[in-house]
Amino acid sequence: MNTKIFRNMSYGMYVVGTMDGERPTGCIANSIMQITSSPATIAASINHDNYTNGCIEKSGMFSFSILAENSPSDLIGTFGFQSGKDTDKFSGVDYEMISGVPVVKNTCGYVVCKVIDKMETATHTVFLGEVIAAEVYDSLPEMTYSYYHKVIKGKSPKNAPTYLPEDTADTAPPTSGKTKYVCQVCGYIYEGDTLPEDFICPICKQGADKFKKVIE
């Protein structure tokens, strides 16, 4: 079975927000879709291992902010490659509270949902949400998973529905004789003969020790 065909399907890039008691938390998701328009209903797939999953279950609410192509790249690292269990992901993020849940401002806009049902799979919960609020921040090109994978050169977190084991290999640059360094966590590529010892990945915030030197 050639699972790479799944990359030909259409996916967006979203910051899912919810509440951990009184504290906002969230994660990156790319499997969100509109089910009906009236009443507006959304389905969102969240991995069982994501801390956000249990928080949505307890709070009964979630939001998703639609990332734009020019949204700050560190949003993906913060929400996609860290755990909300031991990290305050919204610290330093420009956000506001809408209907009791957080939404990220530097995005195309947001949708807020009340959980009305759910379906369990082997690895993910599909939350069905009734839309109770929505707004457009800016009419910018939205970031698709294809754009993230091909242009930003990022890879899916292991908890993402679209994660493929060969993501690390797929992000390695083609052969052409140049020296580059590839982040082994998120796939970000640093171009240059030498990687500074204090370099921090702009996507996943890992240090230089997580980069692998590649001679093209």
Side-chain angles (χ1 to χ4, degrees):
M1 180 171 63
N2 189 351
T3 56
K4 289 184 179 180
I5 188 62
F6 297 137
R7 291 209 179 109
N8 288 47
M9 297 175 66
S10 178
Y11 300 95
M13 292 291 287
Y14 312 97
V15 175
V16 173
T18 189
M19 295 301 293
D20 177 16
E22 298 298 317
R23 182 180 71 111
T25 192
C27 66
I28 289 289
N30 57 14
S31 294
I32 293 178
M33 65 178 293
Q34 181 178 348
I35 302 300
T36 63
S37 58
S38 183
T41 308
I42 299 293
S45 179
I46 307 295
N47 194 291
H48 293 157
D49 292 336
N50 276 350
Y51 188 68
T52 302
N53 187 308
C55 294
I56 294 175
E57 180 76 35
K58 292 177 182 177
S59 69
M61 297 282 293
F62 69 91
S63 68
F64 62 93
S65 302
I66 303 169
L67 291 179
E69 289 182 358
N70 67 348
S71 290
S73 59
D74 60 359
L75 287 175
I76 296 174
T78 297
F79 287 93
F81 293 93
Q82 300 183 61
S83 172
K85 184 176 182 179
D86 46 29
T87 302
D88 183 0
K89 294 186 177 184
F90 279 89
S91 176
V93 173
D94 189 11
Y95 76 98
E96 62 178 320
M97 299 295 293
I98 303 293
S99 299
V101 291
V103 299
V104 180
K105 288 186 175 182
N106 295 320
T107 60
C108 296
Y110 65 81
V111 176
V112 176
C113 298
K114 176 181 67 175
V115 176
I116 57 174
D117 207 344
K118 67 173 184 174
M119 179 183 73
E120 297 293 346
T121 72
T123 59
H124 288 68
T125 302
V126 180
F127 290 102
L128 202 62
E130 179 183 343
V131 176
I132 61 174
E135 190 56 77
V136 175
Y137 281 140
D138 211 331
S139 298
L140 297 170
E142 67 277 6
M143 185 186 296
T144 63
Y145 173 72
S146 177
Y147 181 92
Y148 169 67
H149 185 74
K150 295 178 181 179
V151 179
I152 299 179
K153 302 298 183 183
K155 67 179 182 180
S156 298
K158 290 186 177 181
N159 289 344
T162 52
Y163 171 77
L164 297 177
E166 65 269 25
D167 266 350
T168 301
D170 285 352
T171 58
T175 303
S176 70
K178 296 181 181 179
T179 301
K180 296 184 178 181
Y181 296 81
V182 181
C183 178
Q184 300 304 291
V185 176
C186 71
Y188 176 80
I189 298 173
Y190 174 89
E191 297 186 7
D193 293 332
T194 304
L195 180 70
E197 293 183 0
D198 60 350
F199 184 78
I200 301 296
C201 179
I203 299 295
C204 66
K205 303 303 182 183
Q206 298 295 316
D209 61 315
K210 299 297 184 182
F211 280 74
K212 180 180 180 181
K213 185 176 182 180
V214 176
I215 305 295
E216 296 185 341

